[in-house]
Amino acid sequence: MKTLRTRLTALYTATTGAILLFVTAVFLVFSVRNTRQAQVEHFQVIWASVSSRFLASGALSHSFLAQTEADYRMVIHIRENGIPFRYPGSWQPRTSRDTLIMSARNQAEAEGVFMDQAPVSSAVVSSSLMTVQGEDDDQYYAMVLSTSAKGGVKSLCVLAYIPPIRETLGKTIGILCLLALSGLSGLWFISWNFVGWSLKPVEESRQKQARFIAAASHELRSPLAVLRSAAARLSEAFDEKDTLLPLIDSECVRMSRLVEDMLFLASADAKTWSLHLTEVDMDTLLIDLFESFLPLCRDKNITLKLELSDEVLPRIQGDPQRLRQLLLILLDNAADHTPPGSYIRLCAFVGLGQAGHKNTLILQVEDQGCGIPDTSKPYIFDRFYQADSARSEKQHFGLGLSIAKELVNLHGGSISVADGRQKGSCFSVVLPVAPTQKAPES
């Protein structure tokens, strides 16, 4: 189970982590795209401001050039009739200014924009947005403008440094990586606990199955040992057959009963057990059950009491044979724990639901035995569980109450145990009233 839990945790973490990383990558792609778009738009705004001022005045002051280059890490180059404007620049890029200007000039000439030749078709010509690659893996946006002037031509070349993505989004990428790692760690922790919680019923079922097999093996070993011993003794002393044959028959009956109980529980677990449902007259069923169980109680010097209300009990939808089996288990269990001279009380009454509607039937079997400790009550319906582990009597295997609980569940009811009114235990079974049957008016 630990290996399965680890593998499932790894699977959940890997699949969910892959989705998380994919979303992070998509976010980064869009962030890069938006950042580049913002840089382009920013450059175009600066270009529009510089070019419009250049065309309006025909020149740019040193102070304006210095301020603009320093603020936006730009390279601004002006030429008039092939002679560059004497301006050393206020910012030094990683690649020399002359190299960058020459690269931008060559790309503009490829588009038909010449810095030293006046435009022919119009007064002003401008290049498209270009990208200039520096010598140190530095990149720049660039545009070139050429305009006719008195006696010649004036031209403007503007380049703007493009910060690398790692420089622009460095903090964002670092935060996203940290969040991704934290997310994966959190996913592992959550997946580990979630898988553990999911596998808990499986582990409990596996443990119950292991305990069931161990207990069943132990219970089957005892009658088999008796049968082998009796058979060996019978072969040696045939004259003792009158004693040994009943013993063999008794152990066979006991083992057959155990196998039948185990088959019933297995069918209930596999959901293959079906009931023959019909409307059951509970007054008749309880009276017949009382009369059939009364001789056994008399043999044990136990008083059996049947308490029914004056009004007719409502019918319920159920299997009469299985309901009889359920009550016989409870009565048989009570008879085994009730000392001579005491009594067993079997009663039935109607339970009131909302607005006083009679929607449940409550059956109770109360004995005057030694009772069940509070520490054992939560486990009394578990298979092969016996509250008194010191009992040497082996007529019961600890399956009766488990079968009773399964029978109650099949009828859509519930079963519980509490202390008796004086001493002993009181088992209560709550069954729903048949929906087509109206409870009699009191």
Side-chain angles (χ1 to χ4, degrees):
M1 294 299 293
K2 185 177 181 180
T3 302
L4 177 61
R5 183 179 183 181
T6 302
R7 290 179 177 177
L8 288 177
T9 300
L11 176 63
Y12 292 158
T13 304
T15 53
T16 311
I19 296 174
L20 175 64
L21 293 178
F22 175 76
V23 173
T24 303
V26 171
F27 176 78
L28 281 176
V29 169
F30 277 99
S31 297
V32 170
R33 184 176 300 176
N34 292 336
T35 300
R36 289 302 189 203
Q37 184 65 30
Q39 290 173 343
V40 170
E41 293 174 354
H42 182 262
F43 172 77
Q44 289 176 336
V45 169
I46 302 301
W47 164 258
S49 174
V50 173
S51 61
S52 62
R53 187 163 184 167
F54 171 76
L55 292 173
S57 63
L60 298 175
S61 66
H62 277 255
S63 60
F64 175 79
L65 292 174
Q67 185 68 36
T68 304
E69 284 197 2
D71 289 345
Y72 305 112
R73 290 197 288 183
M74 303 183 81
V75 175
I76 302 176
H77 176 70
I78 300 173
R79 298 174 71 88
E80 184 174 358
N81 296 324
I83 301 174
F85 183 61
R86 293 183 178 181
Y87 172 68
S90 62
W91 173 73
Q92 184 60 43
R94 290 157 60 181
T95 301
S96 69
R97 297 171 66 92
D98 292 340
T99 301
L100 295 175
I101 293 170
M102 182 57 66
S103 178
R105 180 176 178 178
N106 292 336
Q107 292 188 45
E109 290 179 355
E111 295 182 8
V113 180
F114 299 91
M115 297 185 69
D116 296 334
Q117 296 180 16
V120 179
S121 59
S122 62
V124 179
V125 291
S126 176
S127 70
S128 63
L129 179 66
M130 303 177 295
T131 301
V132 175
Q133 185 70 38
E135 296 176 341
D136 194 22
D137 292 334
D138 47 336
Q139 289 185 328
Y140 304 82
Y141 291 125
M143 290 188 73
V144 175
L145 178 148
S146 179
T147 182
S148 300
K150 294 180 180 179
V153 57
K154 289 184 178 182
S155 58
L156 173 68
C157 176
V158 178
L159 298 98
Y161 175 69
I162 305 175
I165 290 300
R166 62 178 180 273
E167 180 181 330
T168 306
L169 299 176
K171 291 184 178 180
T172 302
I173 294 175
I175 292 174
L176 286 177
C177 291
L178 181 61
L179 289 176
L181 292 176
S182 301
L184 290 175
S185 302
L187 280 174
W188 178 271
F189 176 77
I190 294 173
S191 298
W192 178 264
N193 289 277
F194 178 75
V195 171
W197 174 77
S198 301
L199 292 179
K200 187 176 181 181
V202 179
E203 175 63 15
E204 291 177 352
S205 177
R206 188 188 67 82
Q207 292 178 357
K208 286 182 179 180
Q209 183 180 23
R211 289 195 297 266
F212 183 87
I213 294 174
S217 300
H218 175 76
E219 296 293 347
L220 286 171
R221 191 187 329 170
S222 178
L224 288 174
V226 174
L227 288 173
R228 291 186 62 188
S229 176
R233 180 64 179 169
L234 185 63
S235 62
E236 296 174 0
F238 189 74
D239 55 336
E240 299 181 13
K241 65 177 182 178
D242 293 339
T243 303
L244 296 175
L245 288 177
L247 177 61
I248 293 175
D249 181 69
S250 174
E251 291 301 317
C252 288
V253 170
R254 178 183 166 207
M255 190 160 53
S256 175
R257 180 179 177 183
L258 174 60
V259 172
E260 288 178 0
D261 289 347
M262 292 171 60
L263 286 175
F264 173 83
L265 292 173
S267 299
D269 290 340
K271 309 298 182 184
T272 58
W273 191 267
S274 60
L275 298 176
H276 302 288
L277 298 179
T278 183
E279 286 195 357
V280 182
D281 183 348
M282 292 305 299
D283 287 287
T284 303
L285 188 145
L286 291 172
I287 292 173
D288 291 343
L289 183 66
F290 171 79
E291 293 176 350
S292 62
F293 201 75
L294 187 59
L296 176 63
C297 292
R298 287 175 178 171
D299 291 341
K300 293 187 174 185
N301 193 22
I302 296 174
T303 301
L304 180 62
K305 298 180 179 180
L306 175 61
E307 298 179 3
L308 298 177
S309 59
D310 295 334
E311 63 182 35
V312 178
L313 294 175
R315 294 175 178 268
I316 66 170
Q317 196 77 16
D319 187 329
Q321 297 300 322
R322 294 305 166 189
L323 290 173
R324 181 182 177 88
Q325 180 184 4
L326 162 65
L327 293 172
L328 280 174
I329 290 173
L330 298 180
L331 289 172
D332 190 50
N333 183 74
D336 288 336
H337 294 83
T338 300
S342 301
Y343 69 85
I344 297 174
R345 184 175 66 91
L346 172 63
C347 69
F349 55 92
V350 175
L352 298 179
Q354 296 180 350
H357 295 303
K358 303 174 181 179
N359 54 6
T360 59
L361 178 65
I362 301 176
L363 308 175
Q364 288 186 342
V365 176
E366 181 182 3
D367 61 62
Q368 287 189 306
C370 58
I372 301 173
D374 292 338
T375 55
S376 298
K377 285 186 175 71
Y379 313 102
I380 198 66
F381 297 104
D382 290 351
R383 298 171 188 182
F384 290 108
Y385 181 83
Q386 292 180 348
D388 186 3
S389 58
R391 288 177 58 194
S392 59
E393 186 263 328
K394 290 294 182 179
Q395 293 302 315
H396 298 278
F397 308 99
L399 293 178
L401 293 178
S402 301
I403 294 174
K405 183 178 179 181
E406 293 295 340
L407 290 171
V408 171
N409 291 338
L410 289 172
H411 284 83
S414 62
I415 185 171
S416 60
V417 62
D419 294 333
R421 292 178 294 183
Q422 297 179 358
K423 59 179 182 177
S425 304
C426 179
F427 287 85
S428 298
V429 176
V430 180
L431 298 173
V433 173
T436 57
Q437 176 69 28
K438 294 184 177 180
E441 297 294 337
S442 55

